[in-house]
Amino acid sequence: QVQLVESGGGLVQPGGSLSLSCAASRSIFSSSFVNTMGWYRQAPGKQRELVAQITSDSTTTYADSVKGRFTISRDDAKNTVYLRMNSLKPEDTAVYSCYARIYLSPQVFRTYWGQGTQVTVSS
């Protein structure tokens, strides 16, 4: 079992910056499998979308809408993943949820979710 605790959401003006943190209750990336942590977001009336993710081998993936503005990183010593969000736009407003996909075997994985944190971009 893994618990994910998010922090850092809030209200920010357009063009501003915000950082999110997701702390896992245990190491995610020390496994021999390629595990993943990242962030999804969901705005009212819209489908959930992948924002950014980082794998055990540090491969990162970003949604086209956030490329060049958001940066995902990790601190393995703290079992924490960060999402730095710059040049925020009103359309970035959403509930951001951290997740961890952990492989138990080559074909079996489990996905864990944080509680979600609200990010509101508004003047």
Side-chain angles (χ1 to χ4, degrees):
Q1 192 69 284
V2 176
Q3 285 77 46
L4 302 175
V5 178
E6 302 155 353
S7 60
L11 173 64
V12 64
Q13 293 186 342
S17 298
L18 207 58
S19 290
L20 304 181
S21 299
C22 176
S25 56
R26 67 169 178 84
S27 175
I28 304 300
F29 297 117
S30 61
S31 167
S32 59
F33 297 117
V34 179
N35 294 328
T36 303
M37 287 187 72
W39 299 85
Y40 275 81
R41 69 184 180 186
Q42 186 165 23
K46 294 187 177 181
Q47 285 190 332
R48 187 176 63 182
E49 67 169 340
L50 176 66
V51 178
Q53 66 180 30
I54 186 166
T55 63
S56 299
D57 58 5
S58 296
T59 300
T60 57
T61 303
Y62 296 94
D64 287 343
S65 59
V66 306
K67 283 181 181 177
R69 299 189 297 122
F70 290 12
T71 302
I72 189 169
S73 61
R74 74 192 215 205
D75 185 336
D76 292 351
K78 297 181 179 180
N79 298 330
T80 300
V81 169
Y82 304 95
L83 185 67
R84 177 65 177 175
M85 304 182 292
N86 296 327
S87 304
L88 282 161
K89 305 175 182 180
E91 50 264 44
D92 294 317
T93 296
V95 174
Y96 285 69
S97 297
C98 173
Y99 79 97
R101 184 168 63 238
I102 300 171
Y103 277 83
L104 307 178
S105 70
Q107 290 82 34
V108 178
F109 65 87
R110 289 183 181 165
T111 302
Y112 300 91
W113 292 92
Q115 77 279 12
T117 185
Q118 178 69 46
V119 171
T120 302
V121 185
S122 175
S123 55

